[in-house]
């Protein structure tokens, strides 16, 4: 705990930071009480606990206009107690060791049962051989086998007679006595076989460790802000601005817009992309990257891919790129209008020469290293062009929406 004395109140320590438009003050409990009694206008949102702010910079996020989803996510981080979480891990480690011990026991138990079942098989067979006088049966068959080269019809019939006598005698035996003997053998073995002490203990430990695992996951599972959901709410507001820009650049009134392709719905890959947009024009494309950056482009040009690739010219000069993240628009240059878009079957959406935007068919690879070649961006001071649109060097697209624009 910080030990900053309050000079106004003896033996009091500074505990709070009060921030408002006019000033920032460090207060003790008494200072805060007196101030509240005097003005009755101390807002709890303006207060920060000094100790908490000193230990965890996430607390300072409350004082800036950050996304609510992000704020909620980062405010959870100080709640993760290192000692308690590591203690839970140690408990699980101990349980895993115990499970390993019982697994070894269960393995030995299974090995014993294998030996046991084989012994049971042998025991039952011996009993049957005794009851059935099995050697007599085997002797008859062996005699036939031995005399196979000199076998005659008479010898065969004689042995068949022996077999008949054997089976007659077998079937005349006391079956109840045989049943009783076999039941006794099986019952004695069953009691041994059903004793699964190690397995039952292991089952109990598995249940316990699964429960502990679930409890720990609940404690440490962060509520990550959903980038795609956040994108939807942002882009709904920003789309109208894009429609206004398109209408002004085309000098036409937009009649309607239709979502013709959505990556997460239709497949974020080149063949699906070309399936939905081939032969279409007046398309607005909006992209969301893994970093949460939103950018895109509009062009009136016709998207007609070839296997060798070709540029398409925009004589209307209405094509433009944009970055919602930076709130910037990049119009096409007059002397570069013949390279508004680039269409190639094994590429994805590409704009400009060089490239201003190059997205390959997997929607992960590509670049925007040369933004400003075909589309004007000199009006903005861009330090790192290769990261400017995507938020990283590569596109890493996680969502793409394409709208067909229709004019009156």
């Amino acid at each position: 705990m910080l030990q900053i004395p309050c000079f106004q109140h003896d033996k009091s320590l500074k505990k709070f930071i009060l921030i408002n438009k006019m000033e920032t003050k460090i207060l003790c409990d008494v200072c805060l009480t007196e101030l509240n009694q005097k003005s009755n206008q101390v807002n709890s949102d303006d207060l920060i606990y000094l100790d908490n702010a000193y230990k965890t910079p996430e607390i300072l996020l409350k004082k800036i206009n950050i996304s609510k989803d992000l704020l909620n996510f980062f405010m959870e981080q100080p709640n993760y107690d290192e000692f308690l979480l590591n203690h839970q891990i140690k408990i699980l480690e101990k349980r895993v060791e115990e499970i390993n011990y019982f697994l070894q026991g269960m393995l030995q138990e299974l090995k014993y049962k294998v030996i046991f079942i084989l012994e049971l098989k042998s025991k039952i067979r011996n009993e049957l051989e005794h009851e059935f006088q099995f050697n007599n049966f085997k002797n008859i068959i062996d005699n036939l086998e031995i005399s196979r080269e000199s076998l005659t019809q008479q010898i065969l019939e004689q042995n068949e007679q022996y077999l008949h006598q054997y089976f007659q005698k077998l079937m005349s035996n006391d079956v109840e006595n045989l049943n009783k003997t076999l039941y006794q053998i099986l019952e004695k073995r069953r009691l041994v076989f059903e004793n699964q002490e190690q397995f039952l203990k292991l089952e109990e430990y598995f249940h316990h460790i699964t429960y502990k695992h679930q409890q720990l996951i609940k404690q440490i599972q962060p509520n990550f802000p959903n980038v795609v959901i956040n994108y939807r709410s942002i882009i709904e507001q920003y789309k109208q601005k894009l429609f206004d820009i398109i209408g002004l650049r085309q000098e036409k009134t937009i009649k309607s817009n239709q979502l013709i392709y959505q990556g997460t719905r239709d497949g974020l890959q080149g063949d699906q992309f070309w399936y939905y947009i081939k032969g279409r024009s007046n398309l607005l494309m909006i992209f969301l990257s893994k970093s949460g950056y939103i950018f895109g482009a509009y062009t009136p040009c016709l998207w007609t891919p070839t296997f060798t690739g070709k540029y398409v010219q925009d004589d209307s000069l209405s094509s433009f790129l944009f970055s919602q993240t930076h709130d910037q628009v990049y119009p096409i240059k007059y002397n570069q209008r013949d390279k508004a878009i680039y269409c190639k079957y094994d590429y994805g959406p590409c704009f400009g020469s060089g490239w201003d935007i190059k997205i390959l068919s997997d929607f992960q690879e590509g670049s925007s290293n040369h933004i400003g070649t075909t589309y004007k961006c000199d009006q903005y001071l861009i330090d790192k062009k290769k990261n400017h649109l995507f938020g990283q060097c590569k596109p890493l697209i996680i969502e793409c929406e394409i709208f067909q624009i229709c004019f009156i």
Side-chain angles (χ1 to χ4, degrees), residues 43-61:
N43 190 333
S44 60
D45 290 339
D46 294 333
L47 283 175
I48 292 178
Y49 284 95
L50 187 59
D51 275 345
N52 291 348
Y54 182 76
K55 294 175 184 175
T56 55
E58 293 90 348
I59 300 296
L60 303 181
L61 289 171

Side-chain angles (χ1 to χ4, degrees), residues 99-138:
I99 284 176
N100 282 333
Y101 170 77
F102 283 110
L103 279 172
Q104 291 297 323
M106 191 180 74
L107 185 60
Q108 289 301 117
E109 197 172 75
L110 288 172
K111 287 180 179 179
Y112 169 74
K113 290 187 187 313
V114 168
I115 294 171
F116 167 82
I117 201 69
L118 294 175
E119 288 178 348
L120 175 61
K121 175 184 173 182
S122 177
K123 177 74 175 176
I124 293 172
R125 178 168 290 175
N126 291 338
E127 188 66 31
L128 291 175
E129 287 182 355
H130 173 72
E131 289 291 328
F132 293 170
Q133 295 183 354
F134 192 60
N135 283 335
N136 292 342
F137 172 78
K138 289 178 68 176

Side-chain angles (χ1 to χ4, degrees), residues 7 46 54 58-59 66 82 92 96 105 121 165 189 193 197 202 221 260 262 264 271 273 279 302 308 319 395 397:
F7 296 110
D46 294 333
Y54 182 76
E58 293 90 348
I59 300 296
I66 194 172
E82 182 178 357
L92 287 172
V96 168
K121 175 184 173 182
Q165 292 171 0
R189 296 298 190 271
F193 196 77
E197 180 183 353
L202 184 64
Q221 180 66 49
I260 62 169
Q262 186 177 55
T264 52
D271 55 351
F273 167 78
L302 186 68
T308 56
S319 296
I397 304 301

Side-chain angles (χ1 to χ4, degrees), residues 82-334:
E82 182 178 357
F83 174 79
L84 291 178
L85 292 177
N86 284 329
H87 179 65
Q88 292 290 331
I89 291 295
K90 287 180 180 178
I91 290 175
L92 287 172
E93 284 177 344
K94 182 173 177 57
R95 291 299 182 207
V96 168
E97 288 177 3
E98 291 169 344
I99 284 176
N100 282 333
Y101 170 77
F102 283 110
L103 279 172
Q104 291 297 323
M106 191 180 74
L107 185 60
Q108 289 301 117
E109 197 172 75
L110 288 172
K111 287 180 179 179
Y112 169 74
K113 290 187 187 313
V114 168
I115 294 171
F116 167 82
I117 201 69
L118 294 175
E119 288 178 348
L120 175 61
K121 175 184 173 182
S122 177
K123 177 74 175 176
I124 293 172
R125 178 168 290 175
N126 291 338
E127 188 66 31
L128 291 175
E129 287 182 355
H130 173 72
E131 289 291 328
F132 293 170
Q133 295 183 354
F134 192 60
N135 283 335
N136 292 342
F137 172 78
K138 289 178 68 176
N139 288 335
I140 296 170
I141 303 302
D142 287 340
N143 286 335
L144 286 171
E145 175 65 19
I146 293 170
S147 60
R148 67 179 181 274
E149 293 182 0
S150 59
L151 186 65
T152 63
Q153 183 66 31
Q154 184 181 359
I155 295 174
L156 179 60
E157 290 176 356
Q158 185 180 13
N159 280 279
E160 285 176 342
Q161 184 64 33
Y162 294 153
L163 277 176
H164 181 70
Q165 292 171 0
Y166 170 81
F167 281 111
Q168 288 297 312
K169 184 177 181 181
L170 176 65
M171 290 184 289
S172 66
N173 283 348
D174 185 357
V175 176
E176 290 301 321
N177 186 55
L178 177 61
N179 286 341
K180 183 179 178 181
T181 303
L182 293 175
Y183 274 128
Q184 288 174 347
I185 294 172
L186 293 176
E187 182 63 16
K188 189 183 297 184
R189 296 298 190 271
R190 181 185 67 80
L191 293 174
V192 176
F193 196 77
E194 289 184 353
N195 180 14
Q196 302 186 61
E197 180 183 353
Q198 296 293 336
F199 177 79
L200 292 174
K201 287 183 179 179
L202 184 64
E203 191 174 35
E204 179 183 340
Y205 271 89
F206 266 124
H207 176 76
H208 186 267
I209 199 170
T210 300
Y211 173 76
K212 285 290 185 183
H213 173 263
Q214 290 172 346
Q215 292 298 106
L216 182 58
I217 288 297
K218 284 181 181 178
Q219 291 180 47
I220 65 175
Q221 180 66 49
N223 293 317
F224 288 105
N226 191 314
V227 175
V228 175
I229 292 176
N230 193 42
Y231 154 82
R232 303 242 184 268
S233 61
I234 291 173
I235 208 59
E236 278 305 312
Q237 301 174 24
Y238 194 71
K239 267 195 304 188
Q240 189 54 54
K241 179 176 181 177
L242 295 174
F243 293 151
D244 291 343
I245 295 171
I246 293 169
L248 287 172
R249 296 190 67 81
Q250 285 277 31
E251 297 182 351
K252 297 176 183 178
T253 302
I254 294 178
K255 178 182 178 181
S256 64
N257 67 87
Q258 179 187 0
L259 179 64
I260 62 169
Y261 171 80
Q262 186 177 55
T264 52
R265 178 192 68 192
D266 302 316
L268 205 57
Q269 52 198 29
D271 55 351
Q272 293 297 100
F273 167 78
W274 285 115
Y275 175 81
Y276 284 98
I277 77 158
K278 181 181 177 182
R280 294 178 181 265
S281 57
N282 293 314
L283 299 184
L284 170 65
M285 301 187 183
I286 304 174
F287 304 96
L288 171 66
S289 78
K290 187 177 181 180
S291 299
Y293 278 42
I294 299 173
F295 64 97
Y298 165 78
T299 181
C301 298
L302 186 68
W303 290 84
T304 52
T306 65
F307 289 104
T308 56
K310 67 173 183 178
Y311 286 103
V312 182
Q313 184 163 316
D314 175 17
D315 289 319
S316 72
L317 297 174
S318 59
S319 296
F320 65 89
L321 311 182
F322 69 88
S323 167
Q324 183 279 332
T325 304
H326 302 295
D327 195 19
Q328 296 174 353
V329 176
Y330 320 106
I332 194 168
K333 296 178 180 179
Y334 176 80

